[in-house]
Amino acid sequence: MQNFTFHNPTRILFGKGRIADIAREIPAGARVLITYGGGSVVSTGTLGEVTAALQGFTLFEFAGIEPNPTYETLMQAVDLARREKIDFLLAVGGGSVIDGTKFIAAAIPFVGDPWDILARRARVKSAIAFGSVLTLPATGSEMNSGAVVTRRAGNDKLAFLNPLLFPRFSVLDPSKTFTLPPRQVANGVVDAFVHIAEQYLTYPVDARVQDRFAEGLLLTLIEEGPRALHEPADYDVRANLMWTATLALNGLIGAGVPQDWATHMLGHELTVLHGLDHAQTLAVVLPAMLQVRRAEKRQKLLQYAERVWGLRAGDDDMRIDQAIAHTRSFFESLQVPTRLSAYGIGIEAIPALLAQLERHGMVALGEHQNVDLAQSRQVYELAV
């Protein structure tokens, strides 16, 4: 097992009715900016619950954070927060709203051009405190310190991490997911699945605890993902999905093990250039990525085949083929396509995608830093 330091300071308030408890998590007298996306948190009553729980605080609202939060929109929130001397942020929504709020938190006190936080990896020395009320389980942003932000002006989708950007607390009420459209539920399952795969399907380092955690989370998604689509008001199903998505990317299963993330980097460029949902890009890229890199991932793919999919018959290559096929079939069973052609994207789109990877410095990806542009081309071609 590799050396690691693990620390996660986010306080989780899990279960029904926990929004009512948020006032005690926010400093008395705070000037609070509530951030959210579209109108769903309004129409479902979630925003009303939040504002009712925060009676006595000075509240401001910022709406309109996109499914892929943009720098242009987030800077409007930064301007508002600076003008109104905001000292606490509360994200109400899914991972995109929480990601965007992390950037807002870092940008408010930042001296200079806040885009440098992403483009130049500028050091974040301070950040405004924030919490979250999660409405869409998928990204794990409610319990980690990372975020992804898009800049429309340059077709850039970039990620950043900083230990100052863990939420102080996050409310996870599974009943808040009952009204999600099936597409968002399915996307959340795929997103969590691939987060786990990026940390698990690498190479063995005898990290048995992390492997068993990861396998248990994958099995839970395989069991509960389809049920969430067919039984949308089942609280226990939604509770298991919500907690699985959080554990998929809160640092626990990634501690002490090699991590990949090449699938995410290739997926980001598909979102920027073609507008696919983040999870849709992951479903397209992962099966092709595993196929192209099956030799270097061989041992973990065989472990995955046996422990997750129960595949024990046939030779090694047959079991790896079947494991990749099962992965693709699982995504398809959720109505998330796994081919670029399903979105009208053909092989002619690949040069522009590769140019984006090169421009963003994504030329040595993966757990071995050996996924170059030639191998990325193979993945994109196989994904068509």
Side-chain angles (χ1 to χ4, degrees):
M1 195 184 305
Q2 299 174 346
N3 290 1
F4 67 89
T5 299
F6 177 72
H7 173 68
N8 192 311
T10 301
R11 183 177 175 88
I12 297 296
L13 310 180
F14 192 100
K16 298 176 184 177
R18 297 308 305 273
I19 289 176
D21 299 328
I22 61 177
R24 69 189 68 174
E25 305 294 333
I26 299 174
R31 295 171 65 83
V32 181
L33 176 62
I34 302 171
T35 58
Y36 55 98
S40 62
V41 298
V42 178
S43 61
T44 60
T46 300
L47 184 62
E49 288 184 51
V50 168
T51 56
L54 295 179
Q55 289 183 18
F57 289 88
T58 302
L59 302 180
F60 301 84
E61 294 181 16
F62 183 85
I65 296 177
E66 306 92 339
N68 289 289
T70 66
Y71 173 78
E72 290 85 351
T73 296
L74 299 176
M75 284 306 298
Q76 295 176 35
V78 171
D79 291 340
L80 171 62
R82 287 172 172 171
R83 187 168 63 248
E84 299 295 346
K85 297 180 171 53
I86 297 298
D87 49 23
F88 199 92
L89 302 169
L90 182 62
V92 182
S96 292
V97 173
I98 302 171
D99 275 17
T101 302
K102 289 177 182 177
F103 178 79
I104 296 166
I108 291 169
F110 188 79
V111 177
D113 182 357
W115 181 245
D116 288 347
I117 295 170
L118 292 131
R120 299 187 177 182
R121 300 290 190 268
R123 183 183 172 196
V124 174
K125 299 178 181 179
S126 63
I128 301 298
F130 73 100
S132 81
V133 175
L134 182 67
T135 61
L136 171 57
T139 70
S141 191
E142 66 277 4
M143 201 179 179
N144 66 44
S145 62
V148 181
V149 174
T150 299
R151 189 170 191 174
R152 287 193 301 261
N155 279 338
D156 301 306
K157 184 173 182 178
L158 302 176
F160 73 108
L161 288 162
N162 190 280
L164 297 174
L165 296 174
F166 282 97
R168 296 290 180 90
F169 69 88
S170 288
V171 174
L172 277 61
D173 181 344
S175 66
K176 296 301 172 190
T177 72
F178 288 168
T179 57
L180 289 172
R183 173 171 163 176
Q184 291 186 336
V185 175
N187 277 352
V189 173
V190 170
D191 201 359
F193 193 102
V194 181
H195 285 163
I196 299 163
E198 296 272 37
Q199 300 164 89
Y200 170 69
L201 287 174
T202 55
Y203 58 88
V205 291
D206 201 23
R208 302 187 186 195
V209 174
Q210 293 92 320
D211 278 1
R212 290 296 192 186
F213 276 153
E215 290 154 3
L217 295 174
L218 290 171
L219 287 166
T220 301
L221 291 172
I222 292 166
E223 292 167 359
E224 303 287 57
R227 289 186 64 196
L229 294 175
H230 295 112
E231 305 167 37
D234 188 310
Y235 178 86
D236 291 329
V237 170
R238 293 304 177 99
N240 280 296
L241 280 185
M242 183 169 261
W243 192 225
T244 298
T246 298
L247 291 172
L249 201 58
N250 73 345
L252 185 64
I253 66 169
V257 300
Q259 300 184 28
D260 186 344
W261 302 108
T263 292
H264 272 69
M265 298 305 103
L266 270 65
H268 285 172
E269 307 303 354
L270 284 167
T271 295
V272 167
L273 294 187
H274 298 281
L276 273 64
D277 296 346
H278 175 59
Q280 290 173 339
T281 73
L282 302 180
V284 163
V285 174
L286 181 66
M289 183 72 71
L290 296 179
Q291 189 65 253
V292 168
R293 299 172 60 204
R294 59 187 290 149
E296 66 189 79
K297 294 179 178 290
R298 186 178 189 84
Q299 288 178 271
K300 291 305 286 285
L301 280 169
L302 288 168
Q303 181 176 315
Y304 171 65
E306 178 178 353
R307 295 187 183 178
V308 175
W309 295 112
L311 301 169
R312 297 175 179 84
D315 62 25
D316 288 359
D317 285 331
M318 180 183 297
R319 280 179 281 138
I320 290 172
D321 284 340
Q322 290 176 333
I324 296 172
H326 276 60
T327 306
R328 185 184 297 279
S329 296
F330 176 61
F331 296 160
E332 294 278 356
S333 75
L334 300 171
Q335 305 303 308
V336 184
T338 59
R339 298 285 185 185
L340 288 173
S341 55
Y343 300 100
I345 302 170
I347 203 163
E348 71 283 350
I350 294 175
L353 293 166
L354 295 172
Q356 284 279 104
L357 287 172
E358 186 171 24
R359 186 165 68 85
H360 293 140
M362 302 297 171
V363 295
L365 301 172
E367 61 268 32
H368 298 292
Q369 299 290 285
N370 62 349
V371 180
D372 57 13
L373 291 177
Q375 200 163 63
S376 292
R377 177 186 292 276
Q378 288 182 292
V379 173
Y380 279 136
E381 288 176 347
L382 193 58
V384 172

